[in-house]
Amino acid sequence: MTHQTLDPADLRARLLRQRLRGTAAPAPSDGIPRAGRGGPLPLSSAQQRLWVLDRLSPGSTTYLMTAALRLRGPLAPEALRGALDALVTRHEVLRTRYEVVDGDPVQIVDAPAPVDLVEEDLTGLDPADRARRLTALGTSGRRPVDLAEGPVFRAVLARCSAEEHALFLTVHHIAADGRSEELMVRELMAHYRRSTAGERHPDPAPPALQYADFAVWQRSRLTEERLRAGLDHWRGRLAGLTPLELPTDRPRPAVRDERGAVAP
């Protein structure tokens, strides 16, 4: 039995020639397909964990993420509102609610609608009180999100002076993470700048796939057979090990709270 090692560049060129001639074997399709939108959609595993935590602590603001943006210079309110509306129109997850159907949580994607931009005038406050109020808008002053009622995305605009504003974008963690929050802010500001510059370029098309498509695809792969195989694997790996002994003198409180400390 002999084998030949092909140069990667030569292999790519050969496959390209085959594809151009129509003789290349089709690549296996293991991508994420677009799911239908004819009814409720399942949650991803990560979303379901957050939904359970929300049910355990209703009214909590622990899993709210807030990005605070300082806007200096003349503000164009209509351009800002247009940028917020375009963001929510483009990303379904920002206009998704989480209801219970037949005992299970599901995603309900609402049609695009104008974002309710709450405005606060802080110009009459002294600097210390204004700073405290700005801090509260991004932390303790946030209103809880009802996942079934929505919206999971909110915006608050605080006016500090004629040419200084603070914009707070709050989204529930069930709809975003740190990376998507960064993209959300970047996309919002890009749209705002295009509008204020008078550019007439069309807005980017919605993504080919939305997060709900991933959730459906992930659930389709979590079959009973796969789950059973995973459990059997870990039962085998952990068989015979000494159980982990944990201290019992520090039990968890009956009611979960958010007190903690920082350990460098």
Side-chain angles (χ1 to χ4, degrees):
M1 183 177 191
T2 61
H3 71 277
Q4 179 182 9
T5 301
L6 295 177
D7 177 71
D10 180 55
L11 179 59
R12 285 195 296 271
R14 180 182 302 183
L15 291 174
L16 177 60
R17 287 194 297 270
Q18 291 177 345
R19 188 171 294 278
L20 291 174
R21 290 197 301 266
T23 59
S29 178
D30 194 30
I32 301 175
R34 173 105 176 145
R37 296 296 193 272
L41 300 169
L43 278 61
S44 70
S45 299
Q47 286 179 319
Q48 184 130 1
R49 289 194 293 273
L50 287 161
W51 180 84
V52 169
L53 290 170
D54 181 77
R55 300 282 284 210
L56 292 174
S57 302
S60 171
T61 59
T62 302
Y63 291 100
L64 296 185
M65 305 167 55
T66 299
L69 309 177
R70 182 80 70 177
L71 307 178
R72 291 187 171 89
L75 182 71
E78 292 308 312
L80 179 59
R81 291 179 183 276
L84 289 167
D85 293 347
L87 184 70
V88 172
T89 297
R90 179 169 155 79
H91 299 286
E92 288 181 352
V93 74
L94 297 180
R95 47 186 166 89
T96 296
R97 295 178 292 107
Y98 303 86
E99 296 184 357
V100 177
V101 176
D102 297 330
D104 292 320
V106 297
Q107 297 191 59
I108 305 294
V109 181
D110 290 331
V115 174
D116 182 17
L117 177 61
V118 177
E119 298 188 42
E120 284 205 23
D121 189 351
L122 307 183
T123 55
L125 300 180
D126 62 62
D129 288 340
R130 185 182 305 123
R132 280 191 288 269
R133 182 55 186 160
L134 289 174
T135 299
L137 286 173
T139 54
S140 60
R142 299 177 300 184
R143 292 181 293 118
V145 169
D146 186 324
L147 294 182
E149 294 293 330
V152 297
F153 174 77
R154 291 176 178 153
V156 176
L157 179 67
R159 177 184 174 91
C160 300
S161 68
E163 294 195 358
E164 184 174 357
H165 297 75
L167 178 64
F168 297 88
L169 305 175
T170 298
V171 61
H172 197 284
H173 193 21
I174 202 170
D177 57 12
R179 174 59 175 159
S180 50
E181 182 184 51
E182 176 187 340
L183 295 173
M184 179 179 70
V185 170
R186 185 188 308 169
E187 187 172 312
L188 175 74
M189 297 315 299
H191 189 286
Y192 178 78
R193 291 191 185 98
R194 286 197 302 271
S195 297
T196 54
E199 298 180 12
R200 300 299 181 184
H201 299 300
D203 293 331
L209 293 174
Q210 301 278 345
Y211 189 80
D213 299 310
F214 166 76
V216 173
W217 171 82
Q218 184 191 58
R219 288 295 180 182
S220 70
R221 295 172 64 85
L222 294 177
T223 61
E224 288 293 332
E225 182 179 352
R226 284 175 179 263
L227 292 173
R228 193 178 304 111
L231 288 173
D232 290 343
H233 168 79
W234 285 110
R235 286 193 180 106
R237 291 290 301 272
L238 300 175
L241 295 180
T242 303
L244 181 64
E245 294 186 2
L246 298 174
T248 58
D249 60 339
R250 296 189 297 277
R252 293 185 179 183
V255 178
R256 179 175 177 269
D257 62 38
E258 298 163 16
R259 289 178 298 176
V262 176

